[in-house]
Amino acid sequence: MNHVLCGLAANTALPSELVDRLIAVADTDIAADLAGRADLGHAQAIALVSRVEESARRLASEGRLTAADIDPAAQPRAALALFHEGVGRPEWARLLAADPLVAHREELAACPGLPCDGVESLAADSDVRVVAELALCAAPDVAARLAQHPHAEVRRAVAVNEATPSAVLAALISGEGLPPSRRCLVCDREETPFVHDPQCARLDCDLLPGASCDGSHESTVHDMQHAALRNPATPTEAVIGFADHPSTLLRRALSARPDLPSEVYGRLAADGTPGVRADLAENPAIDEALIRALAGDHGHEVRRALAHNPHVPLDVLTDLADTAKIGATLLPRIAAASTREVEELAKSPNPAVRMLLAQRRDLPAEIRDALATDPDAKVVKSIAGHPGLSEARLRTMVDRHGSRVLAKVAANPDATPALLEDVTRHQPPVQKALREVARHRNATAPALLACLADKRARPIAAGHPALPPPVIVELLTDTDGQVVEGAAANPSLPPAVMSDLVCRL
């Protein structure tokens, strides 16, 4: 990788004529950066695709290519990129469905809005990977037909598809009304019975760890059942029997469903596996009685998941705050708290509760400011990133709590240039705080120069436009490629230097 040229390709200040020069020599890495340029013209986009066809996906997604720009026979990957965006020409589907490369046909099968003849060709493809890819997003009638495919891998993909008719999903789970599968990916490759060694050392083996087949394609059937249990279109009556299934993975998938009878939720709450109970605890469909019962669960994973349930009562949540090890995250129930509830939470004697509230970024000013002066460092650390805090309050946080809150203070969008400079002078240095300063819009040249001394902050600071141009030029010869790329992408890099770097090509 040429870090200088990749950085220049992403440099927003690079003149158009130099963009043209880079397009002419672009490799895959340079093209990836060029394709992301907001100022790339239509002619430049066409030239870039002609040079590096892989860039078509990004360009197509941003509307920079049209069907008139592409020859599907010469540029099949570009044509596929347009198909992914729903702007490919229907007649291309026939051509691409006959492409000798399986990867191209597989990618075509994943495209939306394919014409009927293209779908039919792909459904009859000789490679099961292509048919399975088609089944993942096929229309209901096609999915229903593919549910009878003789290969179990295709049926697994049909079970994932939320457009698959409910009756078909039920049949996939029960096996009733469908002819038995004849093949799976395991028995395609190995003589049965076979169980794939999780520590398999064969470089040409792409079977999943533990994949197995004794003639019944059991691992693929298990995966198909798991997909159907996670599929919201699968009818409730078809899945409730899995509450006692020996597979933990299947019981976990069941416990996350929102459509089960209360007695099934109750059975899952008594499951011996904490993971099953944890998935149930986070399920918004369980009632308050079950929530309160799960709050007394001995599993840390269960209580932590319960705290993320959007319907957990606040009194339960406050009890969980100390024991659930929730961490610095905005919980759904906290985010939805009413004005009155916010006021009550702010007055909680429990600092863990106040810390959870401080994760909100829409608090009334008086509550925000009160939390900013909280005696507990965890609370202050949580509120430190809140917009609207004055420089004086941010400085007071650092004076009281030092290194514990420094990185969050540095990340505050309203941190002033002077404050950021002081952050870089803090002793002992806080590396995470230096990284936050290096990316902050208000960082000054002195602050950024200090950040250059830190190995992890240095690549970030190299790309900051407030860095002095002579320093940026010096960083172009740094031993760290990331630093070089950041400097080359810096819009404050002198135009004459940009021109010189490109003209050396």
Side-chain angles (χ1 to χ4, degrees):
M1 175 186 287
N2 188 318
H3 293 286
V4 170
L5 296 186
C6 285
L8 286 173
N11 194 315
T12 57
L14 190 71
S16 183
E17 61 271 17
L18 296 184
V19 172
D20 290 333
R21 294 284 296 271
L22 284 181
I23 289 173
V25 299
D27 58 15
T28 303
D29 295 321
I30 297 169
D33 288 306
L34 287 169
R37 295 186 63 87
D39 62 351
L40 199 70
H42 185 219
Q44 290 173 321
I46 295 173
L48 183 59
V49 170
S50 297
R51 172 76 185 179
V52 180
E53 196 178 346
E54 290 86 347
S55 61
R57 176 62 66 88
R58 176 78 179 267
L59 294 169
S61 69
E62 297 182 0
R64 299 179 186 275
L65 290 177
T66 68
D69 302 326
I70 298 300
D71 176 0
Q75 300 168 297
R77 282 171 292 182
L80 287 165
L82 288 171
F83 258 126
H84 270 289
E85 298 304 316
V87 292
R89 289 179 174 166
E91 60 268 23
W92 294 356
R94 288 188 293 274
L95 176 69
L96 294 169
D99 193 297
L101 288 179
V102 173
H104 287 176
R105 304 199 308 274
E106 193 174 356
E107 189 172 346
L108 178 65
C111 293
L114 294 174
C116 293
D117 56 348
V119 171
E120 292 303 317
S121 294
L122 294 168
D125 200 281
S126 59
D127 195 296
V128 69
R129 292 170 293 179
V130 176
V131 187
E133 189 65 44
L134 179 69
L136 287 171
C137 296
D141 59 327
V142 177
R145 191 151 39 96
L146 292 177
Q148 302 187 53
H149 196 279
H151 204 286
E153 184 65 17
V154 175
R155 299 188 186 199
R156 182 203 61 78
V158 172
V160 174
N161 189 343
E162 294 184 14
T164 301
S166 296
V168 174
L169 290 166
L172 285 171
I173 285 181
S174 68
E176 296 176 5
L178 295 175
S181 300
R182 295 202 293 270
R183 306 292 299 174
C184 71
L185 293 178
V186 178
C187 59
D188 279 347
R189 296 164 170 77
E190 307 289 345
E191 290 212 12
T192 57
F194 178 82
V195 178
H196 188 224
D197 183 355
Q199 308 301 321
C200 177
R202 291 184 299 174
L203 297 178
D204 62 341
C205 181
D206 59 359
L207 289 174
L208 294 174
S212 63
C213 181
D214 60 4
S216 65
H217 324 299
E218 64 270 16
S219 65
T220 309
V221 169
H222 179 273
D223 291 346
M224 180 184 68
Q225 292 171 331
H226 183 254
L229 286 168
R230 291 174 58 87
N231 193 326
T234 305
T236 303
E237 58 272 17
V239 303
I240 55 177
F242 284 86
D244 301 312
H245 196 280
S247 167
T248 297
L249 191 65
L250 297 187
R251 298 197 312 278
R252 291 193 69 161
L254 182 67
S255 66
R257 287 185 63 99
D259 58 348
L260 303 180
S262 58
E263 61 270 19
V264 176
Y265 287 135
R267 285 159 59 193
L268 292 168
D271 195 286
T273 302
V276 175
R277 305 195 307 275
D279 287 345
L280 178 69
E282 199 169 352
N283 190 333
I286 63 175
D287 60 27
E288 183 175 335
L290 191 52
I291 288 176
R292 292 186 179 278
L294 287 168
D297 196 290
H298 295 298
H300 292 295
E301 183 183 358
V302 179
R303 296 198 301 275
R304 187 163 53 247
L306 190 64
H308 287 267
N309 190 309
H311 298 146
V312 60
L314 277 183
D315 66 300
V316 174
L317 184 56
T318 55
D319 289 340
L320 291 169
D322 279 322
T323 62
K325 298 182 180 179
I326 299 163
T329 185
L330 179 59
L331 297 174
R333 182 62 183 88
I334 297 293
S338 67
T339 301
R340 181 182 58 79
E341 289 172 334
V342 165
E343 292 172 353
E344 292 176 355
L345 290 167
K347 297 174 183 175
S348 172
N350 187 343
V353 173
R354 302 195 303 275
M355 180 188 73
L356 294 177
L357 177 64
Q359 289 296 323
R360 281 184 60 153
R361 293 296 176 258
D362 60 347
L363 295 172
E366 62 274 13
I367 291 180
R368 175 202 65 203
D369 291 345
L371 292 173
T373 61
D374 198 282
D376 193 287
K378 296 190 298 296
V379 179
V380 176
K381 184 178 179 181
S382 291
I383 202 68
H386 200 297
L389 287 169
S390 68
E391 180 178 8
R393 290 195 185 280
L394 292 171
R395 287 186 178 278
T396 299
M397 291 179 182
V398 176
D399 291 342
R400 289 178 175 173
H401 303 287
S403 301
R404 290 176 291 179
V405 302
L406 199 65
K408 293 296 184 180
V409 167
N412 189 291
D414 298 321
T416 64
L419 175 58
L420 294 173
E421 289 182 17
D422 287 345
V423 167
T424 65
R425 291 192 284 265
H426 188 274
Q427 293 298 325
V430 177
Q431 291 183 319
K432 189 173 181 180
L434 293 174
R435 297 197 296 272
E436 296 295 348
V437 172
R439 62 171 59 93
H440 202 289
R441 63 187 179 186
N442 293 336
T444 62
L448 293 167
L449 290 172
C451 291
L452 289 175
D454 180 77
K455 183 178 180 180
R456 294 181 65 182
R458 187 176 178 86
I460 306 169
H464 199 293
L467 200 64
V471 177
I472 301 172
V473 174
E474 183 180 345
L475 291 173
L476 291 172
T477 58
D478 198 271
T479 57
D480 186 329
Q482 287 184 308
V483 174
V484 172
E485 192 166 339
N490 195 318
S492 294
L493 185 67
V497 176
M498 294 184 195
S499 180
D500 181 57
L501 291 169
V502 175
C503 290
R504 291 179 193 172
L505 300 174

